[in-house]
Amino acid sequence: MNHLNKYLRLFSEQRLIHFEGFEHSSAPEEVEKEIPKEDSNENLGPDIDLPPTEESIQSENADTEQVQDEASSENANGLTERDKRNREIQSKNIDVFSKNIQYTLESKDALQSRLQSWAEASVSKHVDLLDDRLSDVHAQMSRDMEMQSRVLNDCLHRLSNMDRQGISLIDELSQIDPSDDRYRQIKTLVNNNINEANRLSTDTKPMQINLNQTFDEVDIKLDEKKGTYTDTYKDEEFDANDDAIIDQFEDGYHSRKIADDLVSALRNDNVDSVKYDLAIDKAQNVFSQMNPQQRELFEQWINDEISNAGLDQRLKFDGTGNLKIES
Amino acid sequence: MYNINTKTNMTKLPLLQIPKGANEFYDSIMVDIEPDLVLGELPKLKEKYKDESPKSLKERGMRYYEAFQKFNEMLKVKTLELDDKAHELHSFVIGALENLSKGQDDEDCNQIETHIKKIK
């Protein structure tokens, strides 16, 4: 039996390769057994159970030629019919052996191709399996993410409403004498509003982290809303007579918000973020509307904020109003 | 600085690292099992093993077979992880909604409006 047939059988038995229908077009032929001489154990046919080599082929051919020479000689001396038959068999076996060598080479190629095809088919099957599995998970997650988006949008809407209410309350507050009882009542409402805004902003923060695609946008919106409340009412129990807090909202809100965003971006080494760019734009916009004295104070104030945050950088406005970072 | 209450009852959910596509997912598992069988390597195998002996061919076949067996085992684990992540996200979302709904009903806003009207 040809040794490659053994491989085929081994692969098949061990399910290494499903060689269904595998039939080589030139399947190896079995060598024909010689008729043994009564007084001789010689076996001149090739041993095709062993992997053939070029050397062995030459060797076998040489042996065969030698036998044929001897046969001729013996023929002249009167060879038996059995001897003649053996020589025919030997000659035929050599042909078979040559074919088997070719078959060996072709079979290896065929086996490699089969293995390759099987591997590719198996990979494809597993990828399809994963695709189905992932599709289910992604579908579920998309539903959850969509739900989060809706909740966040709802929260933003609520924050906007609270923003309007806060402005309305500020107007009310500015028109009431601090000694008036209503002043305290409105202050309580304002504080409630602040707490609710804080809660909404804080509780929705983890959702924002999940919504990567809208993270920056939503984060900025929420931070702006947070800034509105927390900067306006810096201390929840503010002094009722301190009208400067309201002034701070009108005059200082933008500055503080800008400074906070810049400091935050610098601290996190995140100067490429959308928030940072937005803060820079805002700063430059505010700067363009200031007179020289205000510009100087504004620049100094922002740098103080950065310095207070323990950062080494400094921001400098150039003559054209552009903001630059100096380390 | 913002005077924001940083305390929250909600558990922060780490970023979910879910493979975007099946190919990426497959490669991420197979690369540690049998590098020959990652998608990018498959087309190169014929050239890579053009001079292999019948014996090594057999061993390669055996190796690939075992690789897919191992892959299937790993897949079970990874599938459970995926389900866990999806479940974690779902629980997170539901928990977040419940948390928000505690103070999110319209009563709060209505109450403020009512107070304003009373004050006026």
Side-chain angles (χ1 to χ4, degrees):
Chain A
M1 177 181 286
N2 186 285
H3 65 285
L4 277 171
N5 284 338
K6 287 182 183 176
Y7 293 142
L8 282 171
R9 182 167 52 78
L10 278 171
F11 279 133
S12 177
E13 285 173 356
Q14 298 181 42
R15 297 182 184 178
L16 288 175
I17 305 173
H18 301 291
F19 288 141
E20 292 169 8
F22 177 84
E23 288 179 5
H24 197 276
S25 57
S26 56
E29 298 176 31
E30 292 286 347
V31 292
E32 191 174 343
K33 286 184 180 175
E34 296 173 32
I35 303 166
K37 282 185 178 179
E38 292 172 1
D39 57 351
S40 172
N41 291 325
E42 68 176 339
N43 179 8
L44 300 177
D47 182 4
I48 58 171
D49 275 344
L50 296 172
T53 61
E54 200 170 324
E55 291 76 12
S56 68
I57 296 166
Q58 289 170 351
S59 173
E60 293 292 352
N61 286 341
D63 289 347
T64 306
E65 284 169 11
Q66 188 181 355
V67 170
Q68 282 173 342
D69 288 345
E70 288 171 1
S72 301
S73 172
E74 287 173 3
N75 194 30
N77 296 321
L79 280 174
T80 63
E81 283 302 313
R82 185 193 60 197
D83 291 335
K84 288 180 183 175
R85 174 65 182 149
N86 275 347
R87 274 158 184 70
E88 288 172 8
I89 291 171
Q90 289 163 12
S91 176
K92 187 179 174 185
N93 281 351
I94 289 170
D95 290 341
V96 170
F97 185 51
S98 298
K99 286 179 184 174
N100 283 350
I101 291 171
Q102 184 61 31
Y103 171 80
T104 299
L105 297 173
E106 290 174 1
S107 291
K108 198 193 92 172
D109 287 344
L111 269 176
Q112 278 185 319
S113 295
R114 290 280 180 186
L115 179 58
Q116 181 73 19
S117 301
W118 172 79
E120 287 173 358
S122 296
V123 169
S124 176
K125 186 180 74 176
H126 283 86
V127 169
D128 288 345
L129 187 69
L130 291 180
D131 196 32
D132 291 343
R133 197 69 198 82
L134 270 181
S135 296
D136 292 342
V137 173
H138 282 157
Q140 172 66 46
M141 291 177 69
S142 292
R143 285 193 291 273
D144 288 333
M145 296 297 240
E146 192 181 336
M147 197 186 300
Q148 287 186 87
S149 292
R150 284 203 302 269
V151 171
L152 275 178
N153 284 332
D154 182 54
C155 287
L156 285 173
H157 181 67
R158 292 194 63 212
L159 283 166
S160 294
N161 287 338
M162 294 170 75
D163 198 11
R164 282 196 293 275
Q165 288 171 351
I167 292 170
S168 175
L169 288 172
I170 291 169
D171 288 341
E172 287 286 321
L173 211 55
S174 64
Q175 294 168 16
I176 299 172
D177 190 297
S179 60
D180 193 321
D181 285 345
R182 288 191 302 163
Y183 195 98
R184 178 61 57 182
Q185 289 175 314
I186 292 176
K187 195 194 80 171
T188 303
L189 292 177
V190 168
N191 284 335
N192 289 341
N193 227 7
I194 293 169
N195 291 337
E196 177 65 5
N198 278 338
R199 194 182 66 79
L200 277 178
S201 298
T202 307
D203 286 355
T204 53
K205 190 76 176 177
M207 283 191 185
Q208 299 168 48
I209 295 171
N210 285 325
L211 295 170
N212 296 327
Q213 289 180 340
T214 56
F215 172 73
D216 284 339
E217 185 186 355
V218 173
D219 194 35
I220 288 168
K221 285 180 183 172
L222 283 177
D223 274 354
E224 284 176 349
K225 297 301 175 192
K226 281 191 296 187
T228 301
Y229 285 98
T230 54
D231 285 336
T232 304
Y233 314 105
K234 200 165 185 176
D235 301 308
E236 292 183 9
E237 294 298 326
F238 61 85
D239 185 346
N241 294 315
D242 191 3
D243 289 337
I245 291 173
I246 295 172
D247 293 335
Q248 272 186 341
F249 172 68
E250 292 174 351
D251 298 329
Y253 163 69
H254 289 296
S255 302
R256 282 196 305 281
K257 181 70 176 69
I258 290 163
D260 279 342
D261 283 348
L262 287 172
V263 168
S264 173
L266 290 172
R267 178 183 285 126
N268 298 321
D269 195 21
N270 193 21
V271 293
D272 294 323
S273 70
V274 176
K275 280 179 70 172
Y276 180 78
D277 288 340
L278 199 62
I280 292 285
D281 285 346
K282 282 180 183 173
Q284 289 177 167
N285 186 42
V286 170
F287 187 82
S288 68
Q289 298 170 31
M290 291 177 171
N291 61 38
Q293 189 181 5
Q294 286 173 323
R295 289 180 180 182
E296 187 179 339
L297 288 172
F298 185 58
E299 183 182 301
Q300 180 60 44
W301 186 79
I302 285 183
N303 280 319
D304 285 343
E305 289 290 307
I306 294 171
S307 179
N308 290 339
L311 300 170
D312 295 326
Q313 295 99 325
R314 285 186 65 79
L315 296 175
K316 176 114 186 122
F317 287 99
D318 63 16
T320 59
N322 290 324
L323 194 55
K324 292 183 177 175
I325 305 170
E326 294 177 349
S327 296
Chain B
M1 289 295 153
Y2 302 140
N3 186 20
I4 289 290
N5 174 20
T6 54
K7 292 178 183 174
T8 174
N9 294 325
M10 297 173 67
T11 305
K12 285 192 175 180
L13 192 69
L15 285 176
L16 297 172
Q17 294 178 332
I18 304 291
K20 287 187 172 65
N23 288 356
E24 177 193 333
F25 193 18
Y26 169 84
D27 278 352
S28 71
I29 300 175
M30 187 56 94
V31 70
D32 293 328
I33 301 173
E34 176 51 66
D36 270 3
L37 295 177
V38 299
L39 290 165
E41 288 300 311
L42 269 183
K44 303 174 188 169
L45 295 181
K46 195 171 181 181
E47 177 65 21
K48 183 177 178 181
Y49 292 106
K50 64 179 180 182
D51 295 327
E52 74 179 334
S53 68
K55 185 184 175 189
S56 67
L57 172 61
K58 177 192 168 186
E59 289 169 353
R60 187 157 65 98
M62 175 74 84
R63 211 171 70 229
Y64 290 175
Y65 173 75
E66 288 173 352
F68 281 115
Q69 300 294 308
K70 200 168 179 180
F71 181 93
N72 288 331
E73 289 170 16
M74 287 293 294
L75 183 57
K76 287 177 189 170
V77 177
K78 293 284 182 183
T79 301
L80 284 176
E81 284 177 8
L82 266 186
D83 287 341
D84 283 349
K85 283 182 179 178
H87 181 70
E88 191 182 2
L89 175 65
H90 188 68
S91 301
F92 168 83
V93 172
I94 298 300
L97 292 180
E98 286 175 353
N99 197 47
L100 281 169
S101 69
K102 287 176 187 171
Q104 210 174 37
D105 47 38
D106 292 333
E107 227 173 275
D108 290 342
C109 288
N110 291 338
Q111 200 175 14
I112 293 172
E113 286 175 7
T114 306
H115 274 288
I116 292 173
K117 285 175 185 173
K118 280 182 183 176
I119 291 166
K120 283 182 177 179

